[in-house]
Amino acid sequence: QVKSQGRNALCFFDPQMQISISLRAQLEADLQAALTARQFVLHYQPQFHLDGRMVGAEGLIRWQHPERGLVAPGAFIGVAEESELIVPMGHWVLRTACEQLAAWQGNPRLQHLQLSVNVSARQFRQRDFVARVVEVLRETGARPHLLKLELTESLVLDNVDDTIAKIGTLKTKGVRFSVDDFGTGYSSLAYLTRLPLDQLKIDQSFVHNLGVRHTDDVIVQTILGMARNLELDVIAEGVETEAQKKLLAQYGCTYFQGYLMGRPVPVAELEALLEPAATTAEDLDMPR
Ligand code: C2E
Ligand code: MG
Ligand code: MG
Ligand code: MG
């Protein structure tokens, strides 16, 4: 049993902290047990088009710990990624998201929603990654074009040929791809043109100081210009203020995700954003 340091358990496994080898091993064991005990939950942060429509959400994993409460991924995902655990964990996330997509089918208010999930390097590099995704889509009945896989720049660049082959195969099935935390890695036009991507996701670190730090405005404008030429969608993450959203829109950004529009929430709360206060059958029948 890992001893919690005071009430702020979230900081306990902060990846920035030096975690001793024994604590790391203990956390790994705890994560393994948590997988078996089904203690992970997927929360959903809404994503919006410029016109105000909710287009979908990003699935973000949380650990519903029996004593520590809801633990954010920053406290454990790093350790999971360094071990093999991220593979079954990532697979659970993928399956959960696909089951959710399937559950929304047939509901006219919800069936258009897309779901993005984060895929870590070790998971993506598994030999059977493509086969597993195809299998989950088939088993759940989720529509592939509603599933978006978020890959980081460093993952994409690490083995470009393998990346191109895997993305290429999944693209033929309809699955979409987004580059997460874009701009923080080794952005290279050369690889961007080689990869059949759909979306770039501007890292929140650039969004944070928009209108304040001139270089960040330049970076964001450059990313948007590049994406326009490559015909890629752009979503900005970490949008917290109206001022940031306004500048992003002015620079040509069309999709937004951030606390300004909505925090990551359990699925029922996400659905409620689209079915507001429908308390009676009459309400449900009302035209909107
Ligand atoms: P990410 O994929 O870049 O996700 C965005 C993170 O920014 C999320 O943190 C989200 O809650 C947070 N965020 C969203 N809007 C705002 C905002 O307006 N302001 C601020 N300050 N933060 C905002 P979260 O959920 O703690 O996840 C952190 C990271 O953990 C994710 O970054 C992702 O890299 C990783 N992660 C989360 N879920 C999974 C997963 O299922 N699999 C893998 N491999 N990684 C995951
Ligand atoms: Mg992400
Ligand atoms: Mg991100
Ligand atoms: Mg990030």
Side-chain angles (χ1 to χ4, degrees), residues 58 118 150 180 201:
E58 176 178 9
N118 296 284
E150 294 193 2
D180 203 357
K201 193 165 193 183

PDB file of all heavy atoms in Angstrom, residues 58 118 150 180 201, ligand 2:
ATOM      1  N   GLU A  58     -13.117  14.566 -26.268  1.00  0.00           N
ATOM      2  CA  GLU A  58     -11.909  13.771 -26.069  1.00  0.00           C
ATOM      3  C   GLU A  58     -12.096  12.922 -24.821  1.00  0.00           C
ATOM      4  O   GLU A  58     -12.477  13.439 -23.765  1.00  0.00           O
ATOM      5  CB  GLU A  58     -10.676  14.675 -25.893  1.00  0.00           C
ATOM      6  CG  GLU A  58      -9.404  13.865 -25.587  1.00  0.00           C
ATOM      7  CD  GLU A  58      -8.136  14.705 -25.460  1.00  0.00           C
ATOM      8  OE1 GLU A  58      -8.232  15.951 -25.441  1.00  0.00           O
ATOM      9  OE2 GLU A  58      -7.051  14.095 -25.378  1.00  0.00           O
ATOM     10  N   ASN A 118      -6.487   9.225 -26.753  1.00  0.00           N
ATOM     11  CA  ASN A 118      -5.031   9.344 -26.781  1.00  0.00           C
ATOM     12  C   ASN A 118      -4.405   7.963 -26.926  1.00  0.00           C
ATOM     13  O   ASN A 118      -4.787   7.031 -26.229  1.00  0.00           O
ATOM     14  CB  ASN A 118      -4.542   9.987 -25.481  1.00  0.00           C
ATOM     15  CG  ASN A 118      -5.058  11.405 -25.335  1.00  0.00           C
ATOM     16  OD1 ASN A 118      -4.570  12.327 -25.976  1.00  0.00           O
ATOM     17  ND2 ASN A 118      -6.081  11.580 -24.506  1.00  0.00           N
ATOM     18  N   GLU A 150      -5.521  10.252 -31.269  1.00  0.00           N
ATOM     19  CA  GLU A 150      -4.569  11.343 -31.038  1.00  0.00           C
ATOM     20  C   GLU A 150      -3.175  10.768 -30.814  1.00  0.00           C
ATOM     21  O   GLU A 150      -2.954   9.991 -29.888  1.00  0.00           O
ATOM     22  CB  GLU A 150      -4.981  12.171 -29.804  1.00  0.00           C
ATOM     23  CG  GLU A 150      -6.281  12.926 -30.003  1.00  0.00           C
ATOM     24  CD  GLU A 150      -6.514  13.979 -28.924  1.00  0.00           C
ATOM     25  OE1 GLU A 150      -5.662  14.170 -28.036  1.00  0.00           O
ATOM     26  OE2 GLU A 150      -7.581  14.622 -28.982  1.00  0.00           O
ATOM     27  N   ASP A 180      -1.562  15.428 -31.414  1.00  0.00           N
ATOM     28  CA  ASP A 180      -1.787  16.084 -30.118  1.00  0.00           C
ATOM     29  C   ASP A 180      -0.589  16.947 -29.743  1.00  0.00           C
ATOM     30  O   ASP A 180       0.527  16.692 -30.181  1.00  0.00           O
ATOM     31  CB  ASP A 180      -1.983  14.992 -29.058  1.00  0.00           C
ATOM     32  CG  ASP A 180      -2.742  15.481 -27.836  1.00  0.00           C
ATOM     33  OD1 ASP A 180      -3.085  16.671 -27.765  1.00  0.00           O
ATOM     34  OD2 ASP A 180      -2.993  14.649 -26.946  1.00  0.00           O
ATOM     35  N   LYS A 201      -3.670  19.479 -33.356  1.00  0.00           N
ATOM     36  CA  LYS A 201      -4.237  19.989 -32.118  1.00  0.00           C
ATOM     37  C   LYS A 201      -3.200  20.907 -31.481  1.00  0.00           C
ATOM     38  O   LYS A 201      -2.171  20.437 -30.984  1.00  0.00           O
ATOM     39  CB  LYS A 201      -4.550  18.800 -31.208  1.00  0.00           C
ATOM     40  CG  LYS A 201      -5.411  19.133 -30.049  1.00  0.00           C
ATOM     41  CD  LYS A 201      -5.967  17.864 -29.435  1.00  0.00           C
ATOM     42  CE  LYS A 201      -7.087  18.196 -28.478  1.00  0.00           C
ATOM     43  NZ  LYS A 201      -7.598  16.998 -27.809  1.00  0.00           N
TER      44      LYS A 201
HETATM   45 MG    MG B   2      -5.087  14.427 -26.130  1.00  0.00          MG
END
